[in-house]
Amino acid sequence: MKKPFSYFEHDADIGIVGQGKTVEQAFESAARAVFSIMTNLDAIHARDEIRVEFEETDLEFALVIWINLILGKARESGMVFNEFHLQRNGQYWHAEVSGEKWREEHERGVEVKGATFTMLSVKQNPGGWEARCVVDV
Amino acid sequence: MNLDQLKQLQSYLWTLPHASTEQRAEVLLYGNAALLKSMDDKVLEQIANVARLPGLVGAAMTMPDAHWGYGFPIGGVAAFDAEQGGVISAGGVGFDISCGIRCLRSTMTVQDAAERFAELADALYKTIPAGVGEEGHIKMNPAQLDQVLRGGAQWAVKAGYGTTADLEFVEENGCVTDAIPENVSDLAKKRQRGEMGTLGSGNHYLEVQFVDRIFDQVAADAFGLNEGQIIISIHCGSRGLGHQIGTDYLMMLAKAANRLGIKLPDRELACAPIKSSEGQRYIGAMNAAINCALANRQILTHLTRETFNTVYPNIHLDTLFDVSHNILQKRAPRS
């Protein structure tokens, strides 16, 4: 089952919220929130996989690094991602992200330029983890 | 924004009075009452935070178009003295480094052109890619991209995109010095390989406009503008490269601020002293992004001219101006 995500209002940009039982799942949901701004993820086939990794101890910084890293990798490879599997071992984060190259028939939404520190928070609630920030569009 | 908290100094100039215990520089807001009323309260909060940063010279200011930004308000202006511990902030420059406007002045009127507008729009759409996932027709290898990052619009003209006459009307004649491509990450460079000659999405655009009404005839004459004349505005910046530099250095500066013990009123104001190694690295990378944006707008100018000439043979498009609005510039103090 896909992890839940949602959006919140911001003056000029878009706020994203990812939720999950673990912090990694909340980050995966946040990633789906970001790529759903750009296209309909249900129409994307997870044909190709890319591995990414980074190092960060601060959870809030890690969210910004994660989102910006996969946005950069997507642009570098000309791809759009729809599946995200993230693992953390202390400060080391490893992920496999999957998707495909942009095709003519893909729905074109709004390009997300990057995650920002605006309204940035990563916290554990009674029901699980929540990761949120504003993304620049 | 509630104007009760402000004090009006002139018709279009306001200030935020200090609270008795408040340690900050002066805050000045430019605009009329209607514009300021329409602004988000966050603008005032953000510019007051900027006024607390180290090494600020004079006042922290907002322009009439100010709105909620990333640490700094968008439309915010501030000067910092490197010799007084002044700082540099990636959020102050913005993520789309050197985003700006290139304006072209045509030799035709809206009446002359109107009949073929649909054909023109289709041709422009084909020549100049825009929107998410779109790549340009120009592909750069790493060595070529480094030349772009050093040479800006001057590189583009040498490569056959436009003429030297364009450069006279571009800030810094189309190229800033002190760009250091080595300070730009590999990921930033890879993101740019297919993005030269593209507009991007969001609020970026290429618009065919016309002069509807002239309010100041002397200024219009100086700019060579007449009522009904077609002009073209191109709004875009340093594309993927600039965004990646912005995000790479936002994190680096946030960590530098922590390490150097700089007390930030808002984490988004992540900054480091201009003279620190992080500050200097950012300046070198930011200048490279400025040259990238200047080159891109020069290429777009050339592509626009070519496209116009396929639809309207023998018309001319001259550069009227090219000015960036997401930028940090080094300036000597006025004596």
Side-chain angles (χ1 to χ4, degrees), chain B residues 135-329:
Chain B
E135 288 215 339
H137 307 297
I138 301 164
K139 305 292 176 202
M140 294 267 163
N141 65 37
Q144 286 171 320
L145 190 57
D146 279 358
Q147 288 171 14
V148 171
L149 302 188
R150 285 199 176 87
Q154 293 181 9
W155 170 88
V157 168
K158 278 185 198 154
Y161 300 105
T163 68
T164 51
D166 290 322
L167 300 176
E168 288 182 44
F169 302 96
V170 179
E171 267 184 317
E172 311 285 348
N173 293 116
C175 177
V176 293
T177 53
D178 303 327
I180 307 177
E182 294 76 15
N183 290 4
V184 178
S185 68
D186 285 344
L187 183 57
K189 290 178 182 176
K190 284 176 181 168
R191 283 182 72 170
Q192 194 61 23
R193 281 190 304 214
E195 297 209 343
M196 297 306 290
T198 66
L199 267 179
S201 72
N203 64 353
H204 293 160
Y205 57 78
L206 186 156
E207 281 184 0
V208 178
Q209 307 167 328
F210 70 95
V211 180
D212 186 33
R213 196 147 48 112
I214 286 174
F215 294 91
D216 182 335
Q217 192 62 51
V218 174
D221 290 344
F223 286 127
L225 295 174
N226 301 295
E227 282 186 5
Q229 187 173 358
I230 295 275
I231 58 172
I232 296 102
S233 284
I234 301 169
H235 178 215
C236 76
S238 47
R239 307 289 295 110
L241 180 126
H243 295 305
Q244 193 63 43
I245 292 172
T247 53
D248 289 344
Y249 280 89
L250 179 73
M251 200 55 67
M252 180 191 279
L253 295 178
K255 291 185 174 184
N258 281 344
R259 181 171 57 77
L260 297 168
I262 298 174
K263 287 184 183 166
L264 296 174
D266 176 353
R267 184 169 47 176
E268 284 194 281
L269 287 170
C271 59
I274 295 167
K275 287 192 154 184
S276 67
S277 62
E278 291 90 347
Q280 289 297 304
R281 280 183 63 79
Y282 176 68
I283 290 172
M286 184 207 61
N287 282 330
I290 291 173
N291 282 337
C292 176
L294 292 172
N296 197 36
R297 290 199 290 273
Q298 183 62 40
I299 291 170
L300 291 171
T301 294
H302 176 73
L303 297 174
T304 304
R305 279 193 185 118
E306 283 195 332
T307 309
F308 262 73
N309 279 320
T310 63
V311 181
Y312 309 105
N314 303 319
I315 68 113
H316 293 282
L317 300 180
D318 297 322
T319 295
L320 182 59
F321 64 81
D322 185 306
V323 178
S324 300
H325 43 243
N326 283 4
I327 198 166
L328 179 142
Q329 292 176 315

Side-chain angles (χ1 to χ4, degrees), chain A residues 1-5 19-21 25 28-29 32 84-85:
Chain A
M1 184 185 153
K2 304 282 189 232
K3 292 102 189 172
F5 63 82
Q19 292 171 320
K21 285 183 182 167
Q25 286 181 1
E28 291 169 3
S29 304
R32 286 186 60 80
F84 309 88
H85 300 287

